[in-house]
Amino acid sequence: MKLVVIEDEIRIREGLVRLIGKLSPDYVVAGEAENGKEGLSLVRSVRPEVIVTDIKMPEMDGLKMLELLEKEGSLPKVIVLSAYSEFEYARKAMRMGVKEYLLKPVVVGDLTEALRRVEEELRQEVRGREGILQTPEQIFKGILTGNFSPDPELKGRIDHMLGISGETVYAELCFYLGEQYEHREKEAGRELKGILGQREGTKYLLLPNPRERCLLLVIYQDRDLLSLERWVQSWLLRERGRLSGGAAGFMTGMKLEELRAGTEKLLEAMEWSIALGDEILISYPKITRLQTSPCIYPMELEKQMKLAVCAGQSDKVQKSLEDFLGCFYTGSLYHPRQIKECFVRFCWALVNTGKEVGVLEGEGLEQQKLLERIMQAKTYGELKEVAAFLEGKLSQGEKEIGHLTIKRAQSLIHEFYQTGITLDEIAGKLNLTPEYLGTKFHQEMGVTFGTYMKNFRMAKAKELLIGTSLKLYQIAEKIGYSDPKYFSRVFKEATGQLPADYRKTHR
């Protein structure tokens, strides 16, 4: 598999080139570039099968480069790299059919999986060109994934197989199942066949799409496609419970060569279920004519959330999340894209605060997957699940301590840290020798008593700096330091920032 890497930061670019070479002997990096302009020339000359590219770069960004390649008809498979804050750039890339999106800093496992999926897509294309795909369903899947081009020969083959003419206008019904896809796909397929079986003269192909977690029906014959849309909407209103947690979309008026682009637009438009609910059929392009209000949330909610996280008040964290989610259902209509952008900002504020005060471990969060869940969400329920996941992570809080004696020692530290309680004093309260307690503490906690005490005080200092307006000398006193200057020096050694600078960064 021949690849090129386009990234303006030299260390990241060189690191990616080395890593890709190590992942498989079949991966060959045929060139690298530091911006979209150089990348464009490189792709034109090398003709790679895969582009790994950053989004934001000088001279020409990755998005512009991809748009030009798409217009030329020479866009290969693409893996996009981006920071979470470049949310909208990633969305635009996905509208062009880019499926692989990696969050910086790139995790080795995520890159490995993305390359594996791209490799499998390329294999499928080869099988398609060799004529392995024979049924109408297989052919349409190939067209929708871009593996097949609907040229005159293929159109004639489809007309013959389906008994239609080249002037056929297609419609699409899409039923999104989300996380329920794996265990509901077959049942939902039978249900859809039963529904359309009640409508005389309707002919369609049912195409399961595991990647998008939906069932797609390509309708190639119906007595009246407009009445079909109303008919499906009526069914949704009657049978809302049977589609609980999902979403449905409809589009009509497409020629065969327009099906792929139309499907991508329909799938993107179905995120409107976040704003409208799953009982509404999302009809494209009608949905684009809706008038929306600017979507913002009160910053006071974010402040309340940070205070609750710092104070370890799980009930108030839950309340702040509920209040945040309620901001988007107050009678005004907001664009789902803006709802997602607000959601990303709020969740990242929660994650960053949780990391800073030590109640969230960044490694266990898989922030790449977290961002993907938000970006790919098509229902309100999916956004609520992300909120519940983060709330659960916060509630895990501190690690479980196995040894009862160490639990008691830890409780005494938490109770008397402001007085500067020592190992000897705690050992005396527990009727143990300091040497024994120190050894057991290190074994159970993985750090010495002194390191734990300092880290605990620094965590409390972070809470007070983020969550209160106390002066620095007051914070120093509250965590057991009589000298504010000494406190500032210890804090900088621990965090790399003076307390005042830390407060400005995180408030």
mmCIF file of all heavy atoms in Angstrom, residues 409-445:
data_model
loop_
_atom_site.group_PDB
_atom_site.id
_atom_site.type_symbol
_atom_site.label_atom_id
_atom_site.label_comp_id
_atom_site.label_asym_id
_atom_site.label_seq_id
_atom_site.Cartn_x
_atom_site.Cartn_y
_atom_site.Cartn_z
ATOM 1 N N ALA A 409 -4.764 5.475 56.975
ATOM 2 C CA ALA A 409 -3.714 6.493 56.839
ATOM 3 C C ALA A 409 -4.118 7.546 55.821
ATOM 4 O O ALA A 409 -3.937 8.754 56.043
ATOM 5 C CB ALA A 409 -2.400 5.830 56.430
ATOM 6 N N GLN A 410 -4.688 7.083 54.722
ATOM 7 C CA GLN A 410 -5.117 8.013 53.677
ATOM 8 C C GLN A 410 -6.215 8.945 54.205
ATOM 9 O O GLN A 410 -6.198 10.148 53.932
ATOM 10 C CB GLN A 410 -5.623 7.227 52.466
ATOM 11 C CG GLN A 410 -5.844 8.074 51.221
ATOM 12 C CD GLN A 410 -6.429 7.262 50.092
ATOM 13 O OE1 GLN A 410 -7.101 6.261 50.337
ATOM 14 N NE2 GLN A 410 -6.178 7.675 48.879
ATOM 15 N N SER A 411 -7.139 8.396 54.977
ATOM 16 C CA SER A 411 -8.212 9.215 55.557
ATOM 17 C C SER A 411 -7.646 10.290 56.482
ATOM 18 O O SER A 411 -8.124 11.435 56.493
ATOM 19 C CB SER A 411 -9.197 8.336 56.331
ATOM 20 O OG SER A 411 -9.837 7.430 55.476
ATOM 21 N N LEU A 412 -6.625 9.932 57.254
ATOM 22 C CA LEU A 412 -6.006 10.908 58.161
ATOM 23 C C LEU A 412 -5.293 12.011 57.383
ATOM 24 O O LEU A 412 -5.339 13.183 57.773
ATOM 25 C CB LEU A 412 -5.024 10.195 59.101
ATOM 26 C CG LEU A 412 -5.671 9.314 60.179
ATOM 27 C CD1 LEU A 412 -4.625 8.437 60.860
ATOM 28 C CD2 LEU A 412 -6.398 10.180 61.219
ATOM 29 N N ILE A 413 -4.641 11.653 56.289
ATOM 30 C CA ILE A 413 -4.013 12.671 55.435
ATOM 31 C C ILE A 413 -5.067 13.638 54.922
ATOM 32 O O ILE A 413 -4.902 14.863 54.973
ATOM 33 C CB ILE A 413 -3.274 12.008 54.249
ATOM 34 C CG1 ILE A 413 -2.072 11.230 54.740
ATOM 35 C CG2 ILE A 413 -2.841 13.067 53.230
ATOM 36 C CD1 ILE A 413 -1.416 10.372 53.666
ATOM 37 N N HIS A 414 -6.171 13.096 54.430
ATOM 38 C CA HIS A 414 -7.228 13.932 53.858
ATOM 39 C C HIS A 414 -7.871 14.830 54.923
ATOM 40 O O HIS A 414 -8.323 15.930 54.604
ATOM 41 C CB HIS A 414 -8.298 13.047 53.205
ATOM 42 C CG HIS A 414 -7.801 12.297 52.015
ATOM 43 N ND1 HIS A 414 -8.590 11.451 51.271
ATOM 44 C CD2 HIS A 414 -6.567 12.234 51.449
ATOM 45 C CE1 HIS A 414 -7.888 10.924 50.292
ATOM 46 N NE2 HIS A 414 -6.652 11.387 50.377
ATOM 47 N N GLU A 415 -7.882 14.343 56.164
ATOM 48 C CA GLU A 415 -8.512 15.116 57.234
ATOM 49 C C GLU A 415 -7.583 16.188 57.801
ATOM 50 O O GLU A 415 -8.010 17.307 58.102
ATOM 51 C CB GLU A 415 -8.953 14.176 58.358
ATOM 52 C CG GLU A 415 -9.725 14.875 59.474
ATOM 53 C CD GLU A 415 -10.229 13.903 60.529
ATOM 54 O OE1 GLU A 415 -10.037 12.675 60.363
ATOM 55 O OE2 GLU A 415 -10.805 14.386 61.523
ATOM 56 N N PHE A 416 -6.269 15.860 57.908
ATOM 57 C CA PHE A 416 -5.359 16.761 58.627
ATOM 58 C C PHE A 416 -4.249 17.350 57.748
ATOM 59 O O PHE A 416 -3.279 17.894 58.278
ATOM 60 C CB PHE A 416 -4.718 16.005 59.807
ATOM 61 C CG PHE A 416 -5.699 15.557 60.842
ATOM 62 C CD1 PHE A 416 -5.999 14.210 61.003
ATOM 63 C CD2 PHE A 416 -6.339 16.485 61.658
ATOM 64 C CE1 PHE A 416 -6.913 13.787 61.952
ATOM 65 C CE2 PHE A 416 -7.256 16.067 62.621
ATOM 66 C CZ PHE A 416 -7.542 14.723 62.772
ATOM 67 N N TYR A 417 -4.364 17.257 56.409
ATOM 68 C CA TYR A 417 -3.281 17.753 55.546
ATOM 69 C C TYR A 417 -3.008 19.241 55.755
ATOM 70 O O TYR A 417 -1.894 19.723 55.568
ATOM 71 C CB TYR A 417 -3.596 17.477 54.067
ATOM 72 C CG TYR A 417 -4.679 18.354 53.501
ATOM 73 C CD1 TYR A 417 -4.381 19.532 52.824
ATOM 74 C CD2 TYR A 417 -6.026 18.011 53.642
ATOM 75 C CE1 TYR A 417 -5.380 20.334 52.300
ATOM 76 C CE2 TYR A 417 -7.023 18.806 53.136
ATOM 77 C CZ TYR A 417 -6.693 19.964 52.462
ATOM 78 O OH TYR A 417 -7.687 20.774 51.951
ATOM 79 N N GLN A 418 -4.050 20.001 56.159
ATOM 80 C CA GLN A 418 -3.885 21.449 56.331
ATOM 81 C C GLN A 418 -2.936 21.775 57.488
ATOM 82 O O GLN A 418 -2.322 22.835 57.515
ATOM 83 C CB GLN A 418 -5.244 22.099 56.586
ATOM 84 C CG GLN A 418 -6.172 22.025 55.376
ATOM 85 C CD GLN A 418 -7.578 22.480 55.723
ATOM 86 O OE1 GLN A 418 -8.201 21.931 56.626
ATOM 87 N NE2 GLN A 418 -8.061 23.483 55.031
ATOM 88 N N THR A 419 -2.804 20.828 58.431
ATOM 89 C CA THR A 419 -1.937 21.077 59.588
ATOM 90 C C THR A 419 -0.527 20.579 59.350
ATOM 91 O O THR A 419 0.354 20.757 60.209
ATOM 92 C CB THR A 419 -2.503 20.364 60.836
ATOM 93 O OG1 THR A 419 -2.426 18.946 60.638
ATOM 94 C CG2 THR A 419 -3.938 20.771 61.085
ATOM 95 N N GLY A 420 -0.304 19.939 58.191
ATOM 96 C CA GLY A 420 1.021 19.412 57.910
ATOM 97 C C GLY A 420 1.324 18.149 58.681
ATOM 98 O O GLY A 420 2.458 17.927 59.117
ATOM 99 N N ILE A 421 0.331 17.286 58.841
ATOM 100 C CA ILE A 421 0.503 16.056 59.604
ATOM 101 C C ILE A 421 1.638 15.211 59.019
ATOM 102 O O ILE A 421 1.808 15.142 57.797
ATOM 103 C CB ILE A 421 -0.821 15.245 59.642
ATOM 104 C CG1 ILE A 421 -0.725 14.130 60.685
ATOM 105 C CG2 ILE A 421 -1.178 14.699 58.270
ATOM 106 C CD1 ILE A 421 -2.065 13.482 60.998
ATOM 107 N N THR A 422 2.444 14.585 59.881
ATOM 108 C CA THR A 422 3.616 13.838 59.434
ATOM 109 C C THR A 422 3.359 12.341 59.471
ATOM 110 O O THR A 422 2.383 11.863 60.065
ATOM 111 C CB THR A 422 4.819 14.142 60.342
ATOM 112 O OG1 THR A 422 4.527 13.665 61.668
ATOM 113 C CG2 THR A 422 5.115 15.636 60.379
ATOM 114 N N LEU A 423 4.296 11.590 58.854
ATOM 115 C CA LEU A 423 4.220 10.130 58.867
ATOM 116 C C LEU A 423 4.288 9.612 60.305
ATOM 117 O O LEU A 423 3.547 8.692 60.675
ATOM 118 C CB LEU A 423 5.362 9.551 58.031
ATOM 119 C CG LEU A 423 5.462 8.016 57.982
ATOM 120 C CD1 LEU A 423 4.239 7.417 57.298
ATOM 121 C CD2 LEU A 423 6.729 7.586 57.258
ATOM 122 N N ASP A 424 5.172 10.209 61.121
ATOM 123 C CA ASP A 424 5.291 9.775 62.515
ATOM 124 C C ASP A 424 3.983 9.952 63.274
ATOM 125 O O ASP A 424 3.579 9.081 64.064
ATOM 126 C CB ASP A 424 6.401 10.573 63.220
ATOM 127 C CG ASP A 424 7.789 10.149 62.757
ATOM 128 O OD1 ASP A 424 7.861 9.277 61.869
ATOM 129 O OD2 ASP A 424 8.779 10.688 63.276
ATOM 130 N N GLU A 425 3.313 11.090 63.043
ATOM 131 C CA GLU A 425 2.063 11.379 63.754
ATOM 132 C C GLU A 425 0.968 10.390 63.344
ATOM 133 O O GLU A 425 0.205 9.908 64.190
ATOM 134 C CB GLU A 425 1.613 12.815 63.463
ATOM 135 C CG GLU A 425 2.499 13.858 64.138
ATOM 136 C CD GLU A 425 2.212 15.264 63.661
ATOM 137 O OE1 GLU A 425 1.742 15.433 62.510
ATOM 138 O OE2 GLU A 425 2.454 16.216 64.425
ATOM 139 N N ILE A 426 0.889 10.080 62.054
ATOM 140 C CA ILE A 426 -0.126 9.121 61.594
ATOM 141 C C ILE A 426 0.192 7.732 62.129
ATOM 142 O O ILE A 426 -0.701 6.999 62.581
ATOM 143 C CB ILE A 426 -0.200 9.113 60.054
ATOM 144 C CG1 ILE A 426 -0.780 10.436 59.558
ATOM 145 C CG2 ILE A 426 -1.057 7.951 59.547
ATOM 146 C CD1 ILE A 426 -0.837 10.569 58.056
ATOM 147 N N ALA A 427 1.487 7.355 62.119
ATOM 148 C CA ALA A 427 1.878 6.045 62.652
ATOM 149 C C ALA A 427 1.499 5.932 64.128
ATOM 150 O O ALA A 427 1.012 4.878 64.576
ATOM 151 C CB ALA A 427 3.382 5.851 62.466
ATOM 152 N N GLY A 428 1.683 7.050 64.881
ATOM 153 C CA GLY A 428 1.302 7.049 66.289
ATOM 154 C C GLY A 428 -0.188 6.844 66.469
ATOM 155 O O GLY A 428 -0.624 6.101 67.370
ATOM 156 N N LYS A 429 -1.001 7.494 65.646
ATOM 157 C CA LYS A 429 -2.451 7.355 65.757
ATOM 158 C C LYS A 429 -2.894 5.929 65.431
ATOM 159 O O LYS A 429 -3.930 5.467 65.909
ATOM 160 C CB LYS A 429 -3.144 8.343 64.805
ATOM 161 C CG LYS A 429 -3.046 9.804 65.237
ATOM 162 C CD LYS A 429 -3.714 10.712 64.198
ATOM 163 C CE LYS A 429 -3.611 12.172 64.586
ATOM 164 N NZ LYS A 429 -4.451 12.518 65.743
ATOM 165 N N LEU A 430 -2.123 5.228 64.593
ATOM 166 C CA LEU A 430 -2.507 3.877 64.169
ATOM 167 C C LEU A 430 -1.767 2.784 64.945
ATOM 168 O O LEU A 430 -1.922 1.589 64.649
ATOM 169 C CB LEU A 430 -2.221 3.702 62.665
ATOM 170 C CG LEU A 430 -3.009 4.622 61.718
ATOM 171 C CD1 LEU A 430 -2.539 4.428 60.284
ATOM 172 C CD2 LEU A 430 -4.501 4.366 61.823
ATOM 173 N N ASN A 431 -0.943 3.212 65.953
ATOM 174 C CA ASN A 431 -0.170 2.271 66.766
ATOM 175 C C ASN A 431 0.762 1.411 65.915
ATOM 176 O O ASN A 431 0.829 0.179 66.054
ATOM 177 C CB ASN A 431 -1.094 1.363 67.601
ATOM 178 C CG ASN A 431 -1.890 2.152 68.627
ATOM 179 O OD1 ASN A 431 -1.329 3.032 69.306
ATOM 180 N ND2 ASN A 431 -3.170 1.858 68.730
ATOM 181 N N LEU A 432 1.441 2.067 64.969
ATOM 182 C CA LEU A 432 2.392 1.384 64.102
ATOM 183 C C LEU A 432 3.734 2.111 64.164
ATOM 184 O O LEU A 432 3.806 3.276 64.566
ATOM 185 C CB LEU A 432 1.902 1.383 62.645
ATOM 186 C CG LEU A 432 0.560 0.707 62.360
ATOM 187 C CD1 LEU A 432 0.108 1.048 60.936
ATOM 188 C CD2 LEU A 432 0.665 -0.799 62.542
ATOM 189 N N THR A 433 4.801 1.429 63.763
ATOM 190 C CA THR A 433 6.079 2.129 63.640
ATOM 191 C C THR A 433 6.079 2.909 62.330
ATOM 192 O O THR A 433 5.493 2.459 61.327
ATOM 193 C CB THR A 433 7.263 1.146 63.621
ATOM 194 O OG1 THR A 433 7.184 0.342 62.443
ATOM 195 C CG2 THR A 433 7.256 0.258 64.867
ATOM 196 N N PRO A 434 6.727 4.083 62.299
ATOM 197 C CA PRO A 434 6.792 4.860 61.048
ATOM 198 C C PRO A 434 7.410 4.055 59.907
ATOM 199 O O PRO A 434 6.985 4.187 58.754
ATOM 200 C CB PRO A 434 7.663 6.062 61.429
ATOM 201 C CG PRO A 434 7.520 6.182 62.905
ATOM 202 C CD PRO A 434 7.369 4.779 63.420
ATOM 203 N N GLU A 435 8.418 3.209 60.225
ATOM 204 C CA GLU A 435 9.092 2.434 59.182
ATOM 205 C C GLU A 435 8.119 1.448 58.518
ATOM 206 O O GLU A 435 8.061 1.337 57.281
ATOM 207 C CB GLU A 435 10.283 1.662 59.780
ATOM 208 C CG GLU A 435 11.433 2.530 60.256
ATOM 209 C CD GLU A 435 11.138 3.200 61.591
ATOM 210 O OE1 GLU A 435 10.192 2.750 62.294
ATOM 211 O OE2 GLU A 435 11.834 4.161 61.923
ATOM 212 N N TYR A 436 7.338 0.756 59.347
ATOM 213 C CA TYR A 436 6.379 -0.203 58.806
ATOM 214 C C TYR A 436 5.317 0.516 57.957
ATOM 215 O O TYR A 436 5.000 0.079 56.840
ATOM 216 C CB TYR A 436 5.704 -0.967 59.949
ATOM 217 C CG TYR A 436 4.595 -1.897 59.476
ATOM 218 C CD1 TYR A 436 4.888 -3.153 58.954
ATOM 219 C CD2 TYR A 436 3.247 -1.497 59.529
ATOM 220 C CE1 TYR A 436 3.882 -3.997 58.508
ATOM 221 C CE2 TYR A 436 2.240 -2.330 59.077
ATOM 222 C CZ TYR A 436 2.561 -3.586 58.575
ATOM 223 O OH TYR A 436 1.563 -4.409 58.116
ATOM 224 N N LEU A 437 4.766 1.606 58.509
ATOM 225 C CA LEU A 437 3.722 2.333 57.789
ATOM 226 C C LEU A 437 4.256 2.884 56.470
ATOM 227 O O LEU A 437 3.580 2.809 55.431
ATOM 228 C CB LEU A 437 3.168 3.471 58.650
ATOM 229 C CG LEU A 437 2.092 4.350 57.990
ATOM 230 C CD1 LEU A 437 0.877 3.504 57.588
ATOM 231 C CD2 LEU A 437 1.658 5.478 58.916
ATOM 232 N N GLY A 438 5.473 3.448 56.522
ATOM 233 C CA GLY A 438 6.053 4.009 55.299
ATOM 234 C C GLY A 438 6.219 2.961 54.216
ATOM 235 O O GLY A 438 5.923 3.191 53.039
ATOM 236 N N THR A 439 6.695 1.766 54.622
ATOM 237 C CA THR A 439 6.892 0.677 53.645
ATOM 238 C C THR A 439 5.564 0.210 53.058
ATOM 239 O O THR A 439 5.415 0.058 51.836
ATOM 240 C CB THR A 439 7.600 -0.513 54.320
ATOM 241 O OG1 THR A 439 8.858 -0.083 54.827
ATOM 242 C CG2 THR A 439 7.813 -1.656 53.326
ATOM 243 N N LYS A 440 4.567 -0.033 53.925
ATOM 244 C CA LYS A 440 3.256 -0.491 53.446
ATOM 245 C C LYS A 440 2.584 0.562 52.564
ATOM 246 O O LYS A 440 1.931 0.242 51.559
ATOM 247 C CB LYS A 440 2.349 -0.826 54.638
ATOM 248 C CG LYS A 440 2.788 -2.015 55.465
ATOM 249 C CD LYS A 440 2.898 -3.289 54.652
ATOM 250 C CE LYS A 440 1.561 -3.795 54.171
ATOM 251 N NZ LYS A 440 1.660 -5.072 53.437
ATOM 252 N N PHE A 441 2.741 1.833 52.954
ATOM 253 C CA PHE A 441 2.132 2.921 52.183
ATOM 254 C C PHE A 441 2.706 2.932 50.764
ATOM 255 O O PHE A 441 1.966 3.047 49.777
ATOM 256 C CB PHE A 441 2.392 4.262 52.887
ATOM 257 C CG PHE A 441 1.552 5.385 52.362
ATOM 258 C CD1 PHE A 441 0.353 5.726 52.968
ATOM 259 C CD2 PHE A 441 1.941 6.110 51.241
ATOM 260 C CE1 PHE A 441 -0.429 6.760 52.476
ATOM 261 C CE2 PHE A 441 1.162 7.141 50.743
ATOM 262 C CZ PHE A 441 -0.031 7.464 51.367
ATOM 263 N N HIS A 442 4.013 2.812 50.673
ATOM 264 C CA HIS A 442 4.677 2.812 49.361
ATOM 265 C C HIS A 442 4.220 1.628 48.521
ATOM 266 O O HIS A 442 3.960 1.757 47.308
ATOM 267 C CB HIS A 442 6.191 2.790 49.553
ATOM 268 C CG HIS A 442 6.951 3.168 48.316
ATOM 269 N ND1 HIS A 442 8.322 3.216 48.258
ATOM 270 C CD2 HIS A 442 6.529 3.501 47.068
ATOM 271 C CE1 HIS A 442 8.693 3.577 47.047
ATOM 272 N NE2 HIS A 442 7.620 3.755 46.306
ATOM 273 N N GLN A 443 4.093 0.460 49.158
ATOM 274 C CA GLN A 443 3.666 -0.744 48.432
ATOM 275 C C GLN A 443 2.249 -0.591 47.873
ATOM 276 O O GLN A 443 1.967 -0.951 46.729
ATOM 277 C CB GLN A 443 3.721 -1.964 49.373
ATOM 278 C CG GLN A 443 5.122 -2.441 49.691
ATOM 279 C CD GLN A 443 5.124 -3.542 50.738
ATOM 280 O OE1 GLN A 443 4.101 -3.839 51.371
ATOM 281 N NE2 GLN A 443 6.286 -4.165 50.931
ATOM 282 N N GLU A 444 1.335 -0.076 48.688
ATOM 283 C CA GLU A 444 -0.068 0.033 48.279
ATOM 284 C C GLU A 444 -0.309 1.187 47.306
ATOM 285 O O GLU A 444 -1.056 1.054 46.344
ATOM 286 C CB GLU A 444 -0.957 0.234 49.517
ATOM 287 C CG GLU A 444 -1.076 -0.978 50.404
ATOM 288 C CD GLU A 444 -1.943 -2.060 49.783
ATOM 289 O OE1 GLU A 444 -2.708 -1.766 48.847
ATOM 290 O OE2 GLU A 444 -1.857 -3.213 50.228
ATOM 291 N N MET A 445 0.325 2.322 47.559
ATOM 292 C CA MET A 445 0.031 3.528 46.799
ATOM 293 C C MET A 445 0.952 3.739 45.606
ATOM 294 O O MET A 445 0.641 4.516 44.705
ATOM 295 C CB MET A 445 0.113 4.762 47.712
ATOM 296 C CG MET A 445 -0.830 4.710 48.903
ATOM 297 S SD MET A 445 -2.575 4.590 48.398
ATOM 298 C CE MET A 445 -2.793 6.146 47.564
#
